[in-house]
Amino acid sequence: GEVVTLTATAKEGWKFKEWRGDVTGTDEVIELTMDGNKSVTAVFEQEQYTLTVTVDDTRGSVSIDPEKEAYAYGDVVTLTATAKEGWKFKEWTGDVTGTDVTIEITMDSDKSVTAVFEQEMFTLEVDVNEQEGSVEKEPDADFYAYGTEVKLTATAKPGWRFKEWAEDAEGTNAEITITVTRDMTVRAV
């Protein structure tokens, strides 16, 4: 007739699932009335956590190693960000932060991480002897995003004529359009 109270306490990374044997149920605390020999088993199961990785796939991608639907407590996951052409990795935000392209995250709860990419910006330097002529850039900016098209128009001063473009541009037309894909230098001859 003695009443025994049993309390199941899960360790970190585990959760109580159920009682088996002479008593059943899913409550962590149960009472058992002794009316004979009893055998009871507390059953625990490992916690499972999800990892949500957000990335704008037009800017880059993230590899996840190992990639699973759910992770056990203490699992270590490696995330590696890869930027697409014209973009560069900036930072991780969310449950892990930093600016390294590759990071590790230890699963001890559900995690959410975002890979942030930013557009690469480049310079376009135009060299021209101002005594011979000028060059107009359209649009005229200090920096250009990858893939920006810039129209260059060379105008010769009296007594001079435009001959050609040199360095990162070529051709003999006084008006050309170039696509910025890196830091570039164009010379008007």
Side-chain angles (χ1 to χ4, degrees), residues 91-110:
E91 65 184 338
W92 299 101
T93 61
D95 288 320
V96 68
T97 58
T99 57
D100 291 338
V101 172
T102 299
I103 59 158
E104 289 184 343
I105 187 167
T106 301
M107 299 302 294
D108 55 9
S109 65
D110 290 337

Side-chain angles (χ1 to χ4, degrees), residues 111-163:
K111 303 282 184 176
S112 180
V113 178
T114 300
V116 179
F117 295 89
E118 64 185 359
Q119 206 163 24
E120 289 188 279
M121 300 298 284
F122 300 102
T123 59
L124 173 59
E125 184 180 329
V126 176
D127 288 337
V128 63
N129 183 333
E130 292 179 8
Q131 295 175 348
E132 300 169 1
S134 63
V135 174
E136 180 182 325
K137 292 191 295 188
E138 189 182 317
D140 188 6
D142 292 332
F143 297 96
Y144 297 93
Y146 178 90
T148 301
E149 290 187 346
V150 181
K151 182 172 127 183
L152 301 177
T153 305
T155 305
K157 286 196 173 182
W160 294 88
R161 69 175 177 82
F162 175 75
K163 180 180 177 188

Side-chain angles (χ1 to χ4, degrees), residues 9-189:
T9 305
K11 289 191 175 186
E12 198 168 38
W14 294 82
K15 65 181 176 181
F16 175 71
K17 182 179 179 184
E18 64 186 353
W19 297 103
R20 291 186 188 158
D22 288 324
V23 67
T24 58
T26 57
D27 293 334
E28 292 176 359
V29 178
I30 61 160
E31 290 184 346
L32 177 66
T33 303
M34 297 304 295
D35 55 7
N37 292 330
K38 301 287 183 177
S39 176
V40 177
T41 301
V43 179
F44 296 89
E45 63 185 3
Q46 209 167 19
E47 290 275 8
Q48 295 289 302
Y49 304 109
T50 59
L51 174 61
T52 303
V53 178
T54 304
V55 61
D56 180 341
D57 61 6
T58 64
R59 298 177 179 190
S61 62
V62 174
S63 66
I64 304 167
D65 183 32
E67 189 168 2
K68 301 179 185 177
E69 293 214 7
Y71 297 90
Y73 178 86
D75 280 355
V76 176
V77 183
T78 302
L79 304 177
T80 303
T82 304
K84 287 196 174 181
E85 192 170 46
W87 295 87
K88 64 182 177 181
F89 176 73
K90 181 181 179 187
E91 65 184 338
W92 299 101
T93 61
D95 288 320
V96 68
T97 58
T99 57
D100 291 338
V101 172
T102 299
I103 59 158
E104 289 184 343
I105 187 167
T106 301
M107 299 302 294
D108 55 9
S109 65
D110 290 337
K111 303 282 184 176
S112 180
V113 178
T114 300
V116 179
F117 295 89
E118 64 185 359
Q119 206 163 24
E120 289 188 279
M121 300 298 284
F122 300 102
T123 59
L124 173 59
E125 184 180 329
V126 176
D127 288 337
V128 63
N129 183 333
E130 292 179 8
Q131 295 175 348
E132 300 169 1
S134 63
V135 174
E136 180 182 325
K137 292 191 295 188
E138 189 182 317
D140 188 6
D142 292 332
F143 297 96
Y144 297 93
Y146 178 90
T148 301
E149 290 187 346
V150 181
K151 182 172 127 183
L152 301 177
T153 305
T155 305
K157 286 196 173 182
W160 294 88
R161 69 175 177 82
F162 175 75
K163 180 180 177 188
E164 66 184 350
W165 297 101
E167 295 191 42
D168 289 322
E170 57 184 40
T172 56
N173 290 334
E175 185 178 294
I176 63 168
T177 299
I178 64 168
T179 302
V180 178
T181 58
R182 57 187 164 77
D183 289 333
M184 300 174 83
T185 301
V186 174
R187 188 164 48 92
V189 180

